[in-house]
Amino acid sequence: MLSIKQLTYFLAVAEELHFGRAAERLDIAQPPLSRQIKQLETDIGAILFNRGRSAITLTQAGERLLERSKSILTQLEDTQLEVRRLGQGAEGRLRIGFVGSATYGILPNIIKSYRANYPQVNLSLIPMNNAGLHRALVSRELDIAFARPALKDSEFVTRPLMEEPLIAAVPDTHPLDSGKKLDLSSLSEPNLILYPEFPRPSYADVVLDFCEQLGINTSRRVWTMDLQTALSLVAIGEGICIVPKSVGTSQRNGLRYHQIEPVLGHTSLSVNYRLDEQGLHIQNFIRIAQSVSRKMP
């Protein structure tokens, strides 16, 4: 079987058509080079060079091997470069799962910053609830998960990104003046829109726990599967929804946002990945995510 070393030696002689110049180019002595070429001809079963008194030329077999050698060595160099860039995290793909609320504020900024630094990495962005994120990380269907609350698993690494207070999304027909703080305990059995309905426990249980601690009535519950549907239900007057403060940065027809008084609680967004995942592409992404989070107000 041909070796890369043999092809490299052959290519030098075939391009120089002179053993002395080829040996100098390879930084070796001429006799070992001549022996290597003779051994190559023996191994391959063909004479590659016509050896004249004053010059050497390629045989037809040598011409064919020269053509193929250039292609093989070029492919090898390209492969080495591709593998090196993959190892450095400069190429490849990242499969990123995220809860819906992550798209308000921080996640778009992280993606934008990562794209600017690693434009050759293909990104797959997949919305999921926490249970789906956990399952997909375990089965290695995801590389990174933006979760709220953090995923609990001994096989995961969790990096907190931001903590923010909970606020209330209410219909724009609500009598409370814009800019005023909302006292949830003053509401008379409001419909509380919660998400996701299943699987549980989930972000909905975080909200319910906070409400229970403050003695807020949550008997009238309206369940839905995701944040966007919840906000749509608020906009048509179905009830109120407790959301992270960052959600309030995006205006939406039919609803408005109010701070809650007394403070209901805080929620944190984290980025999660597998403990046994050592790829630099993931580490690069985590580094950028944490850098962006430090700059967020």
Side-chain angles (χ1 to χ4, degrees), residues 15-287:
E15 290 181 341
E16 298 292 343
L17 292 177
H18 190 282
F19 278 92
R21 290 195 299 271
E24 184 177 351
R25 167 174 158 179
L26 294 168
D27 197 25
I28 62 174
Q30 182 174 332
L33 176 59
S34 297
R35 289 195 295 270
Q36 286 284 344
I37 296 300
K38 287 295 294 183
Q39 186 61 51
L40 173 60
E41 290 177 322
T42 299
D43 292 345
I44 206 170
I47 300 299
L48 302 174
F49 296 97
N50 297 310
R51 294 165 174 82
R53 287 187 176 183
S54 58
I56 63 172
T57 59
L58 287 165
T59 64
Q60 289 188 26
E63 290 176 351
R64 179 60 58 84
L65 183 59
L66 174 60
E67 176 185 332
R68 296 295 177 86
S69 295
K70 289 180 177 179
S71 175
I72 291 170
L73 292 175
T74 297
Q75 289 182 24
L76 179 62
E77 290 176 0
D78 290 345
T79 300
Q80 289 175 325
L81 178 60
E82 289 176 12
V83 172
R84 182 183 303 115
R85 288 179 60 81
L86 283 167
Q88 294 171 343
E91 288 188 8
R93 67 168 183 173
L94 271 178
R95 299 163 299 174
I96 302 168
F98 60 93
V99 292
S101 59
T103 60
Y104 294 86
I106 193 167
L107 182 58
N109 291 338
I110 291 172
I111 297 301
K112 181 179 179 180
S113 181
Y114 184 79
R115 282 285 194 204
N117 287 275
Y118 300 98
Q120 300 303 314
V121 177
N122 294 318
L123 299 181
S124 297
L125 300 171
I126 309 161
M128 292 183 178
N129 59 34
N130 260 32
L133 293 173
H134 186 279
R135 185 169 53 251
L137 271 187
V138 169
S139 62
R140 301 181 189 274
E141 297 171 30
L142 285 179
D143 301 305
I144 292 171
F146 287 85
R148 188 195 303 274
L151 303 180
K152 303 295 185 181
D153 196 298
S154 61
E155 295 184 359
F156 298 168
V157 177
T158 296
R159 304 294 187 199
L161 291 179
M162 60 184 299
E163 184 172 288
E164 53 190 317
L166 295 171
I167 62 173
V170 304
D172 61 4
T173 55
H174 192 280
L176 185 65
D177 292 338
S178 180
K180 298 287 186 178
K181 294 183 179 180
L182 177 66
D183 182 356
L184 293 178
S185 62
S186 68
L187 301 179
S188 177
E189 296 188 351
N191 284 349
L192 183 61
I193 301 172
L194 297 161
Y195 67 93
E197 182 175 9
F198 58 82
R200 305 272 298 280
S202 66
Y203 169 76
D205 295 283
V206 173
V207 172
L208 289 172
D209 287 346
F210 281 136
C211 289
E212 182 179 348
Q213 291 171 23
L214 292 182
I216 296 169
N217 186 355
T218 62
S219 59
R220 297 179 60 179
R221 303 174 184 180
V222 178
W223 288 97
T224 185
M225 284 307 300
D226 56 69
L227 171 62
Q228 296 305 321
T229 305
L231 293 178
S232 296
L233 291 176
V234 173
I236 63 173
E238 185 64 23
I240 68 172
C241 184
I242 307 302
V243 298
K245 182 180 179 181
S246 56
V247 174
T249 61
S250 178
Q251 297 302 311
R252 183 167 180 156
N253 290 336
L255 58 79
R256 62 174 183 262
Y257 301 94
H258 291 277
Q259 294 183 48
I260 299 172
E261 188 178 52
V263 175
L264 181 63
H266 289 74
T267 177
S268 60
L269 181 71
S270 64
V271 60
N272 305 260
Y273 60 98
R274 291 185 59 90
L275 181 64
D276 59 3
E277 180 54 71
Q278 302 298 319
L280 276 180
H281 58 311
I282 291 180
Q283 300 303 321
N284 290 338
F285 188 93
I286 299 300
R287 174 177 52 80

